[in-house]
Amino acid sequence: MQITKAEFKCSSERISQVPKDGLKDIAFIGRSNVGKSSLINMLTARGGLAKVSGTPGKTRLVNHFRINDAWYLVDLPGYGYARTSKTQRGEFSKLITDYVLKCEKMHFLFVLADIRLEPQKIDLRFIEMLGENGIPFAIIFTKADKLSKTQQQKSVERFRTALAEQWEELPPMFVSSSEKGTGREEILAFIDECLRQN
């Protein structure tokens, strides 16, 4: 897939505000500071499309970017960031769960995980919720340039092992680096496939 056009469409505080057209949503989510904005910019080859911030928890809304006038790339708020107040965290999680579980436009979800870390409880819990609700998803490991190839494989294997305790069939997994452009072709080809499926 070639991305020839990528433009910001809107930010929503609740799912009643998301675009009402028939275009499918391909959404991205992960813990705060996992490198989501950098990945989105890398995939679309637009440096400043999603705002990159050193401060975790910057994305607080559901952001829709219209791609090739054919589908939406959706940037969801990060979860599990401790510096926001409990009530705010509650709102994030309600916004996230409302969108992920109730938004009919959402066609597929990518869960981002930092490849350098052990499988995080909050990621595993979130993935468990997706499984319980039959939400189609894949995992993208970010920041792969920080590890050697062998370390990357070990890290992915650790995650597979953690998931295999609950899952019979594991979701698709991709290794990416926004710095190096690693994984871009594979992820875009996979999105292309997803969009062809009803």
Side-chain angles (χ1 to χ4, degrees):
M1 177 199 290
Q2 291 298 318
I3 292 185
T4 51
K5 190 176 176 188
E7 56 190 358
F8 173 73
K9 171 79 174 169
C10 64
S11 292
S12 313
E13 287 179 287
R14 53 189 72 89
I15 61 166
S16 57
Q17 297 170 330
V18 303
K20 298 287 188 286
D21 52 33
L23 301 184
K24 291 170 178 168
D25 284 4
I26 303 286
F28 290 76
I29 196 165
R31 286 183 324 115
S32 299
N33 224 16
V34 74
K36 191 159 42 74
S37 302
S38 302
L39 178 78
I40 288 169
N41 293 337
M42 183 265 277
L43 290 176
T44 57
R46 303 286 187 287
L49 191 68
K51 299 279 182 284
V52 178
S53 164
T55 316
K58 267 293 188 237
T59 310
R60 299 195 175 182
L61 303 163
V62 173
N63 293 313
H64 275 75
F65 299 95
R66 193 174 163 119
I67 309 293
N68 294 350
D69 290 328
W71 56 282
Y72 287 109
L73 187 157
V74 182
D75 184 6
L76 292 170
Y79 51 76
Y81 179 56
R83 267 208 205 139
T84 46
S85 70
K86 275 249 165 54
T87 52
Q88 265 187 320
R89 274 215 304 277
E91 282 163 25
F92 291 179
S93 54
K94 182 177 179 346
L95 178 59
I96 290 168
T97 50
D98 275 0
Y99 175 82
V100 170
L101 303 181
K102 297 178 191 166
C103 186
E104 288 170 10
K105 279 174 67 62
M106 199 200 77
H107 190 61
F108 198 85
L109 182 68
F110 286 100
V111 179
L112 278 54
D114 187 329
I115 198 163
R116 300 170 299 176
L117 306 177
E118 293 280 331
Q120 301 290 297
K121 279 202 180 85
I122 192 159
D123 290 332
L124 297 172
R125 276 206 306 273
F126 187 76
I127 287 168
E128 194 180 335
M129 179 191 81
L130 298 177
E132 284 166 358
N133 290 278
I135 305 295
F137 74 98
I139 296 169
I140 298 179
F141 294 98
T142 59
K143 309 187 183 189
D145 53 288
K146 307 281 192 278
L147 297 181
S148 71
K149 276 273 191 299
T150 313
Q151 289 171 318
Q152 288 173 25
Q153 284 164 351
K154 275 189 183 151
S155 194
V156 172
E157 211 38 61
R158 269 204 313 256
F159 217 94
R160 281 179 187 279
T161 306
L163 286 183
E165 290 173 17
Q166 290 176 322
W167 294 74
E168 283 175 24
E169 197 182 325
L170 296 180
M173 295 183 189
F174 300 90
V175 171
S176 78
S177 159
S178 303
E179 292 282 308
K180 299 234 163 76
T182 311
R184 183 173 187 268
E185 299 302 316
E186 294 87 339
I187 294 165
L188 288 177
F190 185 82
I191 290 173
D192 204 19
E193 248 173 74
C194 281
L195 291 167
R196 290 168 203 270
Q197 294 162 2
N198 291 329

